[in-house]
Amino acid sequence: GFDDCDYIALEHNYEIWMEIAQDWPLELHVPCRDPLEHLMSQCNFKFREFNCEAEDIENEVKSCMVHISNRFNSELEHDTSIHLKC
């Protein structure tokens, strides 16, 4: 259980937070990063070197993207037991 926790870190889909918020009010800290820094961090995570001079820059971006589906959904903004913080 989470009943005695000050901080919980879960790499999970957003629905788990809505379930937990039924029992406890939550303050979720959503990462708010500079988009370019975030992209470069993802390239680094995948051991990719980003080519700024590539013919197909869109493909360069896509090759770096790390997708973890359903980690965030705008439904979280409307749950009165959840406060989002940047």
Side-chain angles (χ1 to χ4, degrees), residues 15-27:
E15 289 144 337
I16 191 73
W17 298 116
M18 296 180 84
E19 290 175 27
I20 294 169
Q22 291 175 6
D23 296 320
W24 299 284
L26 299 177
E27 179 177 273

Side-chain angles (χ1 to χ4, degrees), residues 21-56:
Q22 291 175 6
D23 296 320
W24 299 284
L26 299 177
E27 179 177 273
L28 297 181
H29 293 244
V30 181
C32 302
R33 298 179 70 177
D34 173 77
L36 187 55
E37 285 181 18
H38 192 205
L39 176 64
M40 293 300 105
S41 174
Q42 290 183 59
C43 289
N44 187 50
F45 176 77
K46 293 178 88 173
F47 303 101
R48 292 253 319 123
E49 188 170 321
F50 191 86
N51 180 2
C52 296
E53 298 175 6
E55 292 272 333
D56 188 353

Side-chain angles (χ1 to χ4, degrees), residues 47-77:
F47 303 101
R48 292 253 319 123
E49 188 170 321
F50 191 86
N51 180 2
C52 296
E53 298 175 6
E55 292 272 333
D56 188 353
I57 200 74
E58 182 178 352
N59 191 50
E60 282 294 302
V61 170
K62 286 180 179 179
S63 72
C64 286
M65 298 297 287
V66 176
H67 296 283
I68 302 174
S69 62
N70 294 327
R71 283 181 58 185
F72 182 83
N73 188 292
S74 61
E75 287 183 46
L76 293 169
E77 297 177 274

